[in-house]
Amino acid sequence: MSEARLLEKCLQQATAQLVAAGLGSPRHEARLLLGHWLGRDPAALLGPQTEYIDNPKFFFDLVKRRVNREPMSHLLGYREFWSLSFDVTSSVLDPRPDSEALVESVLKEFPHKDEEFQILDFGTGTGCLILSVLSERPQAIGVGVDVSKDALKIANQNTKKLSFTGRVSFLESDWGENVSGSFDCILANPPYIVSEDIDALEPEVAQFEPRLALDGGIDGLECYRAISKDLKRLLAPGGKAFFEIGEGQAPAVIDILESANLRLVRSVADLGGHIRCLIANAH
Ligand SMILES: C[S@@+](CC[C@H](N)C(=O)[O-])C[C@H]1O[C@@H](n2cnc3c(N)ncnc32)[C@H](O)[C@@H]1O
């Protein structure tokens, strides 16, 4: 029979295990995992915990998985992005705070709350980019594209969960291959890591995130080349395309866009001063 354990002791033990694994916010993560297990708001677990609980095995199983560097989003099943909660599994990229720069850029270029416009989201993953824009522009509609069926399932799941059904549809396509129509706003956060650099990334990424969401080929730029072929066809007159890029990739991606007869409108730096987003339109 398992004996009741003081919650505070469980938290301390989990925190010590996460510290030993070299994780950056051990007490915070232990609290998130405990809150997840107990079905409680982690904020209610701030301060010393005097309650006793039975059989914390499931909690310590979660801690063990985190010690093995499984991402928190996979353990919790969600990630906050743009103040919305997106379901996340190992089939999709864990939405990154850096990608919010793309959402901000779209909102600046489409500044009117009630503007009607059509969005295409290349490599939609969780759907975090297109759904965040839809949350801010209630008259906008769109299409999210991914080559991964499993990613499309999660994007659909998030659409229902966040109540955007009817405003967005999802399409299985190798970039622009199956896409027709014309779009005022094209978003793309494609895989852009150089293939041979992936294994050296932190274990959360290299071991647990889908390679399909990371691998940008031999120079990291293959997906920009593939996407750019269809941009002119898919951009509506006056439309704009928004690309997330990796550190140092701006000059090469601008070249690719110019070769596809697009023109750079603006580049946007992230908080670290690195160019993170390129905005382009058609000549
Ligand atoms: C870097 S992730 C971006 C996910 C999401 N948009 C975000 O910002 O978090 C890139 C996405 O592109 C998708 N992808 C990879 N190759 C593709 C292709 N050939 N055609 C369409 N989508 C592709 C992946 O499945 C993945 O969901």
Side-chain angles (χ1 to χ4, degrees), residues 170-218:
F170 293 100
L171 177 68
E172 187 181 338
S173 177
D174 181 356
W175 302 128
E177 193 172 82
N178 303 331
V179 186
S180 57
S182 109
F183 299 88
D184 309 293
C185 169
I186 297 183
L187 299 172
N189 175 16
Y192 56 68
I193 316 266
V194 172
S195 307
E196 69 172 19
D197 292 349
I198 294 178
D199 288 341
L201 297 174
E202 55 192 12
E204 284 84 346
V205 180
Q207 291 172 22
F208 293 99
E209 294 214 90
R211 224 154 231 266
L212 188 61
L214 303 171
D215 193 341
I218 192 161

Side-chain angles (χ1 to χ4, degrees), residues 93 95 99 121-126 128-129 145-148 151 173-175 189-191 212-213:
L93 190 87
S99 303
D121 180 20
F122 273 129
T124 199
T126 51
C128 62
L129 297 177
V145 164
D146 210 291
V147 77
S148 155
S173 177
D174 181 356
W175 302 128
N189 175 16
L212 188 61

Side-chain angles (χ1 to χ4, degrees), residues 18-272:
L18 297 171
V19 169
L23 294 162
S25 315
R27 175 87 184 182
H28 174 67
E29 290 199 354
R31 217 175 335 104
L32 287 177
L33 294 175
L34 190 61
H36 179 61
W37 172 52
L38 296 173
R40 290 190 202 161
D41 182 350
L45 300 168
L46 282 166
Q49 301 298 312
T50 53
E51 192 183 330
Y52 280 81
I53 46 164
D54 283 324
N55 196 7
K57 179 180 176 324
F58 180 74
F59 169 60
F60 282 106
D61 285 348
L62 284 176
V63 173
K64 189 167 171 203
R65 287 168 65 189
R66 185 66 191 117
V67 164
N68 289 331
R69 305 294 291 267
E70 206 167 328
M72 280 300 279
S73 60
H74 293 189
L75 303 179
L76 301 175
Y78 69 91
R79 168 75 68 191
E80 295 279 322
F81 178 87
W82 201 258
S83 302
L84 299 169
S85 169
F86 288 89
D87 287 356
V88 173
T89 66
S90 55
S91 303
V92 286
L93 190 87
D94 194 349
R96 310 286 204 268
D98 281 342
S99 303
E100 294 188 344
L102 221 64
V103 178
E104 272 166 22
S105 301
V106 173
L107 299 181
K108 275 197 188 132
E109 297 292 329
F110 293 84
H112 305 295
K113 180 113 187 148
D114 286 323
E115 195 162 348
E116 291 179 20
F117 60 103
Q118 301 238 24
I119 307 168
L120 173 63
D121 180 20
F122 273 129
T124 199
T126 51
C128 62
L129 297 177
I130 190 165
L131 296 175
S132 298
V133 174
L134 294 185
S135 76
E136 300 286 344
R137 295 292 177 266
Q139 303 303 324
I141 56 173
V143 178
V145 164
D146 210 291
V147 77
S148 155
K149 279 194 177 65
D150 289 336
L152 292 171
K153 265 192 216 147
I154 302 298
N156 268 307
Q157 197 172 306
N158 282 320
T159 300
K160 283 201 194 95
K161 172 175 154 178
L162 297 167
S163 305
F164 292 115
T165 306
R167 292 180 59 203
V168 60
S169 56
F170 293 100
L171 177 68
E172 187 181 338
S173 177
D174 181 356
W175 302 128
E177 193 172 82
N178 303 331
V179 186
S180 57
S182 109
F183 299 88
D184 309 293
C185 169
I186 297 183
L187 299 172
N189 175 16
Y192 56 68
I193 316 266
V194 172
S195 307
E196 69 172 19
D197 292 349
I198 294 178
D199 288 341
L201 297 174
E202 55 192 12
E204 284 84 346
V205 180
Q207 291 172 22
F208 293 99
E209 294 214 90
R211 224 154 231 266
L212 188 61
L214 303 171
D215 193 341
I218 192 161
D219 61 356
L221 302 169
E222 278 177 12
C223 301
Y224 298 102
R225 291 191 192 94
I227 292 170
S228 68
K229 285 194 296 205
D230 288 307
L231 284 176
K232 223 159 156 138
R233 172 175 70 82
L234 294 170
L235 264 180
K240 290 191 179 110
F242 300 75
F243 294 90
E244 177 166 327
I245 58 168
E247 205 176 317
Q249 290 180 327
V253 178
I254 292 169
D255 276 355
I256 291 170
L257 295 175
E258 286 178 349
S259 306
N261 284 320
L262 294 163
R263 191 179 46 147
L264 183 71
V265 175
R266 203 155 61 86
S267 55
V268 182
D270 61 20
L271 293 175

